[in-house]
Amino acid sequence: MSQYVERVLADLIANNPNQPEFHQAATEILESLAPVFDKHPEYEKAGLLERFVEPERTIMFRVPWVDDNGTVRVNRGYRVQFNSAIGPYKGGFRFHPSVNLSILKFLGFEQILKNSLTGLPIGGGKGGSDFDPRGKSDGEIMRFCQSFMSELYRHIGPDVDVPAGDIGVGAREIGYLFGQYKRLRGAFENGVLTGKGISYGGSLIRPEATGYGAVYFAQRMLQLKGDTIEGKTFVVSGFGNVAWGAVKKITELGGKVLAISGPDGYIYDENGVSTPEKIDFMLTMRASGRDKVQDYADKFGVPFYAKQKPWGVKADICMPCATQNEVGMTEAEQILANGTKYYVEVANMPTSNEAVKFLQDNNVIVAPSKAVNAGGVAVSALEMAQNSQRLAWSADEVDAKLKTIMVNIHDAAANTAEEYGYGYDLVKGANIAGFKKVAEAMMAQGII
Ligand code: GLU
């Protein structure tokens, strides 16, 4: 690593104490970017990296709401507006008890490069709250969303910052958030949020986009090796919206998903999570708010392994779709021992930096989440385009665009890695390819 990059990383760690997830994401990204700074000494003179690692703005606020028993509750709300060099801030809201500044800064930082990789004009941001949606009534969710938006509406807008969903935030929450935004603004600016319902400006294929996009990415990797998804076995972690889209597309393309998981353990289905009934049941489990994958085992009579992760299951391709840091060295060793050839990250930063290196050193092809899961935000940008033009594209049109975008992302990452002498290293290639455009835009716009 060049001295410049090393110094900025050390400063970042010192300036952001107690933010381990942000340190982890920044370390991986900055290590990848070092050769770009060797090639562009003018970047150091412009303090480009010091500016790049510092969010443009971080908003933190109180979110008071009243639960069904009449008790006043208070949560913390956040929006990290990280980088707007190439477009308005764009990125999801996460509602989960684990949410804090470290998590949102890591997600926001990743989002800058992910959004750039889509080739569409969107900057990077992320937000959310430590609110726990588990077991909350519909009325409680609505009142929480209204309170959250009552502060946030003044900081966002269709040309300013365009939030969307993430863990704990789906179409229902986006509906309540949009309703409150519209009421406070007194205007139907539906380009302010993406992931909306179809009746008020949502895009077809947006719910499927992250999972479908991830499988299109994997399909491209296999295609270049003369291979296909058909006949391959998969382990998918999680059972939420992203896992659902991935399972649906894998099945459609002739692959077989042997395991899915939840915070309570994993299920093993030797026949595959493959019938429409089984795939739809993932949505039922998510909507129930129970957060338990055991419900699948109870319903379909397959084995459930309590409190265990699914990575001991032998499969050709692993797709972690749950959340950050679910694969460390122990799991990476299992994955390698199982003879897995492709490790395709889908959730944001599911793998420790050490585990990524270990897998790569042992010839497992690793695809990084910021490239693989970019289909979600890409279709969000397509939703913004449809909203601003006051029109709606067909499912086939959106799906075709998504597919092209995913192939382009894969090829940009692969070609950039090659150009920088890293061979087929999609992790480094994705970081560098995403950064190049942002760096150029930041240089053009002066010291801001
Ligand atoms: N939360 C998703 C992501 O990480 C979607 C963001 C969006 O659509 O703006 O990319």
Side-chain angles (χ1 to χ4, degrees):
M1 230 193 309
S2 74
Q3 273 185 357
Y4 174 49
V5 175
E6 235 170 87
R7 173 167 61 74
V8 175
L9 182 59
D11 286 350
L12 177 150
I13 291 169
N15 291 337
N16 296 277
N18 305 318
Q19 297 189 4
E21 291 84 5
F22 184 39
H23 299 172
Q24 184 183 334
T27 302
E28 188 227 73
I29 291 171
L30 267 56
E31 272 176 8
S32 298
L33 298 183
V36 182
F37 289 90
D38 294 340
K39 215 170 172 171
H40 292 278
E42 73 277 16
Y43 286 180
E44 180 172 351
K45 282 202 190 69
L48 187 75
L49 194 56
E50 290 91 329
R51 290 188 284 131
F52 180 66
V53 301
E54 197 69 39
E56 290 176 19
R57 192 173 302 98
T58 300
I59 300 149
M60 291 175 62
F61 52 99
R62 171 169 80 200
V63 190
W65 56 284
V66 181
D67 71 17
D68 287 345
N69 299 321
T71 306
V72 175
R73 308 269 209 115
V74 179
N75 285 96
R76 279 134 296 276
Y78 307 85
R79 185 73 180 165
V80 180
Q81 298 182 328
F82 220 123
N83 193 297
S84 63
I86 65 168
Y89 311 105
K90 180 94 199 78
F93 286 141
R94 178 175 291 190
F95 292 169
H96 191 271
S98 65
V99 164
N100 57 34
L101 261 191
S102 175
I103 298 269
L104 294 179
K105 276 157 109 177
F106 117 62
L107 289 165
F109 199 42
E110 290 263 302
Q111 196 89 39
I112 305 168
L113 300 175
K114 178 199 308 193
N115 292 4
S116 168
L117 279 169
T118 66
L120 300 166
I122 38 178
K126 201 86 189 190
S129 173
D130 59 359
F131 174 75
D132 186 357
R134 234 179 319 180
K136 298 290 187 298
S137 72
D138 205 57
E140 289 175 326
I141 300 272
M142 181 183 74
R143 292 193 294 281
F144 176 81
C145 288
Q146 290 176 340
S147 180
F148 185 85
M149 187 52 84
S150 295
E151 169 59 33
L152 209 71
Y153 85 99
R154 71 190 75 241
H155 306 290
I156 62 176
D159 294 316
V160 179
D161 184 353
V162 184
D166 197 82
I167 294 171
V169 179
R172 173 179 59 164
E173 290 73 18
I174 292 293
Y176 293 144
L177 290 163
F178 177 65
Q180 185 72 352
Y181 177 87
K182 179 164 67 79
R183 191 180 192 193
L184 292 167
R185 268 275 189 266
F188 190 89
E189 292 175 357
N190 66 355
V192 69
L193 289 167
T194 60
K196 299 180 293 292
I198 300 301
S199 58
Y200 61 99
S203 176
L204 291 168
I205 305 293
R206 179 62 189 87
E208 292 87 351
T210 310
Y212 279 19
V215 179
Y216 293 148
F217 191 100
Q219 190 181 27
R220 179 66 173 168
M221 293 167 73
L222 291 169
Q223 184 197 15
L224 295 175
K225 298 242 178 311
D227 211 341
T228 61
I229 301 273
E230 197 176 347
K232 296 282 179 305
T233 52
F234 289 77
V235 170
V236 169
S237 64
F239 66 86
N241 173 259
V242 172
W244 166 76
V247 170
K248 211 170 150 189
K249 186 53 77 177
I250 289 167
T251 304
E252 195 185 303
L253 296 176
K256 192 196 227 182
V257 178
L258 295 172
I260 56 173
S261 70
D264 55 330
Y266 78 90
I267 64 97
Y268 179 80
D269 190 337
E270 61 177 353
N271 297 318
V273 182
S274 52
T275 62
E277 193 194 358
K278 287 176 176 175
I279 296 172
D280 286 351
F281 192 68
M282 293 173 77
L283 295 179
T284 309
M285 286 195 291
R286 173 56 55 208
S288 78
R290 284 166 47 78
D291 215 9
K292 284 190 169 22
V293 80
Q294 188 179 0
D295 294 354
Y296 183 101
D298 294 345
K299 175 144 175 97
F300 298 108
V302 301
F304 169 67
Y305 299 90
K307 297 200 170 77
Q308 286 186 48
K309 295 181 182 182
W311 308 116
V313 174
K314 194 172 161 59
D316 300 314
I317 301 173
C318 287
M319 293 183 88
C321 294
T323 191
Q324 68 274 352
N325 286 331
E326 46 164 325
V327 175
M329 282 306 289
T330 312
E331 294 78 16
E333 276 162 14
Q334 284 180 308
I335 289 167
L336 181 69
N338 280 332
T340 299
K341 300 210 172 42
Y342 298 92
Y343 178 77
V344 181
E345 293 187 332
V346 190
N348 293 306
M349 201 170 75
T351 327
S352 71
N353 291 346
E354 196 190 2
V356 168
K357 284 201 182 97
F358 171 81
L359 289 170
Q360 287 183 317
D361 288 348
N362 286 286
N363 300 318
V364 177
I365 299 178
V366 178
S369 53
K370 72 173 69 66
V372 175
N373 73 23
V377 76
V379 173
S380 276
L382 300 180
E383 183 172 332
M384 290 161 69
Q386 293 169 77
N387 294 155
S388 69
Q389 294 175 64
R390 302 277 188 259
L391 48 75
W393 297 330
S394 70
D396 285 349
E397 269 176 287
V398 179
D399 197 28
K401 288 188 205 304
L402 170 63
K403 206 168 188 169
T404 307
I405 290 169
M406 295 316 300
V407 168
N408 289 345
I409 294 174
H410 170 276
D411 293 1
N415 295 339
T416 306
E418 194 65 52
E419 185 194 326
Y420 276 79
Y422 288 125
Y424 189 55
D425 184 337
L426 295 171
V427 176
K428 290 208 163 56
N431 283 325
I432 298 174
F435 181 68
K436 274 163 104 177
K437 182 173 165 191
V438 178
E440 232 176 271
M442 286 179 74
M443 289 299 283
Q445 292 169 26
I447 308 296
I448 54 166

